[in-house]
Amino acid sequence: QVQLVESGGGLVQPGGSLMLSCVVSGSFFSINDMAWFRQAPGKERELVAGIPSGGSTNYADSVKDRFTISRDNAKNTVYLQMNSLKPEDTAVYYCTVTIVVLSRRYDYWGQGTQVTVSS
């Protein structure tokens, strides 16, 4: 069983910053892809940023140059540094990881953390 626990969400004023963390625990050998998604009220869940185990990072156009995704493989943790936050960044943020076992891909999701950007 694999568990993901996000933290770091909260209320922040426009222009402010937050850092989200997601710690992965359980029984596995290694983590392949790690990513952050978000879902705003009335909208579909969307990819915010992704970081494969050995490739380059990728970002949604709406967050480029403001958000930075990183990972610490020793701690099984993925981070999302969010700067210059805007009201439209308000959403529930979810982390997700992909673990490959015997050539099969398994996706796991966290429970989500609320980010609210408002004055």
Coordinates of all heavy atoms in Angstrom, one line a residue, residues 1 29 31 69 71 80 83 98 110:
Q1 N 0.8 -1.2 0.0 CA 0.0 0.0 0.0 C 0.9 1.2 0.0 O 1.9 1.3 0.7 CB -0.9 0.0 1.2 CG -2.0 1.1 1.2 CD -3.1 0.7 0.2 OE1 -3.0 -0.4 -0.4 NE2 -4.0 1.6 0.1
F29 N 9.8 0.1 -4.4 CA 11.2 0.2 -4.6 C 11.7 1.6 -5.0 O 12.6 2.2 -4.4 CB 11.7 -0.8 -5.7 CG 13.1 -0.7 -6.0 CD1 14.1 -1.2 -5.1 CD2 13.6 -0.2 -7.2 CE1 15.4 -1.2 -5.3 CE2 15.0 -0.2 -7.4 CZ 15.9 -0.7 -6.5
I31 N 10.1 5.5 -7.1 CA 9.0 6.3 -7.7 C 9.4 6.8 -9.0 O 10.5 7.3 -9.2 CB 8.7 7.5 -6.8 CG1 8.2 7.0 -5.4 CG2 7.5 8.3 -7.4 CD1 8.1 8.1 -4.4
I69 N 8.6 22.9 -9.5 CA 8.4 21.6 -8.9 C 9.8 21.0 -8.7 O 10.7 21.2 -9.5 CB 7.6 20.7 -9.8 CG1 7.2 19.4 -9.1 CG2 8.2 20.4 -11.1 CD1 6.2 18.5 -9.9
R71 N 11.9 17.5 -6.4 CA 11.7 16.2 -5.7 C 13.0 15.9 -4.9 O 14.1 16.2 -5.3 CB 11.3 15.1 -6.6 CG 12.3 14.8 -7.7 CD 11.8 13.8 -8.8 NE 11.7 12.4 -8.3 CZ 11.0 11.5 -8.9 NH1 10.5 11.7 -10.1 NH2 11.0 10.2 -8.4
L80 N 6.2 21.7 -4.4 CA 5.7 22.7 -5.4 C 5.9 24.1 -4.7 O 5.1 24.4 -3.8 CB 4.3 22.5 -5.8 CG 3.8 23.4 -6.9 CD1 4.5 23.1 -8.2 CD2 2.3 23.2 -7.1
N83 N 5.0 31.0 -6.3 CA 5.3 32.4 -6.1 C 4.3 33.2 -6.9 O 3.7 32.7 -7.9 CB 6.7 32.7 -6.5 CG 7.8 32.0 -5.6 OD1 7.5 31.7 -4.5 ND2 8.9 31.6 -6.3
T98 N 3.6 7.9 -9.9 CA 3.5 6.7 -10.6 C 4.7 5.7 -10.2 O 5.8 6.1 -10.2 CB 3.6 6.9 -12.1 OG1 2.5 7.8 -12.5 CG2 3.5 5.6 -12.9
G110 N -2.9 11.8 -3.6 CA -3.0 12.3 -2.2 C -4.5 12.7 -2.0 O -5.3 12.7 -3.0

